[in-house]
Amino acid sequence: MCEKNEVLTVDVNITGFEEVKGKKGEACMILFDGTAEGSGFKGIIGPSGADTQKQDYGKERFLSARYILKGTDAEGKECRIFIENNGSFEADGEITTHPIIYTNSENLAWLETAEIFGKIEGKEGGVIIHLYK
């Protein structure tokens, strides 16, 4: 079994929800804000975080959350991290994600090329996203 190290924890608070149910499938958009901390970063989720989930009836449900973190790196420099977190719901209900990350922090640039995956933990009023290397 390979060792995993948590590199970032994102604490998400749901602020809104929109959905549509059609004849072939359904989709919802979950709006959110929150905070993030780890690997020499501390900050907040900008006001435009959204998780789009869609499902063709009879098939697997997919999610794609996109958000920008605003904060400071380990050197105290202001920076931003863009995360596109794509994933699917597993048979046991667990969600595994595979993020795409961009940052303007030289100190955190390694996040753009590291092999990172995410696990989502439920909480009242939102979720906690754990990103591991």
Side-chain angles (χ1 to χ4, degrees):
M1 181 173 166
C2 66
E3 184 177 331
K4 63 182 181 182
N5 295 314
E6 190 162 3
V7 295
L8 194 61
T9 303
V10 184
D11 190 341
V12 172
N13 301 308
I14 295 172
T15 61
F17 183 86
E18 295 287 336
E19 71 177 333
V20 61
K21 294 185 179 196
K23 295 191 183 314
K24 291 176 51 181
E26 60 187 54
C28 69
M29 294 186 73
I30 303 165
L31 307 175
F32 58 87
D33 63 16
T35 60
E37 190 169 355
S39 289
F41 176 83
K42 184 171 184 165
I44 63 168
I45 300 171
S48 57
D51 175 11
T52 303
Q53 298 184 11
K54 67 177 193 156
Q55 179 178 19
D56 290 334
Y57 295 134
K59 296 185 179 176
E60 191 173 13
R61 186 174 191 90
F62 291 95
L63 67 89
S64 182
R66 293 177 178 92
Y67 47 98
I68 293 178
L69 303 175
K70 301 175 185 179
T72 55
D73 64 20
E75 296 176 355
K77 294 181 180 176
E78 288 187 12
C79 64
R80 293 180 181 221
I81 301 172
F82 167 81
I83 299 176
E84 178 180 326
N85 216 4
N86 299 303
S88 59
F89 294 77
E90 297 175 13
D92 62 3
E94 191 168 296
I95 303 169
T96 299
T97 66
H98 303 283
I100 297 167
I101 299 174
Y102 304 132
T103 182
N104 63 349
S105 167
E106 288 185 32
N107 193 268
L108 298 170
W110 63 271
L111 289 169
E112 293 189 17
T113 57
E115 288 189 37
I116 295 176
F117 69 95
K119 292 290 184 181
I120 298 178
E121 169 190 349
K123 71 166 196 164
E124 187 173 331
V127 296
I128 299 173
I129 304 165
H130 302 278
L131 296 180
Y132 300 98
K133 177 176 145 188

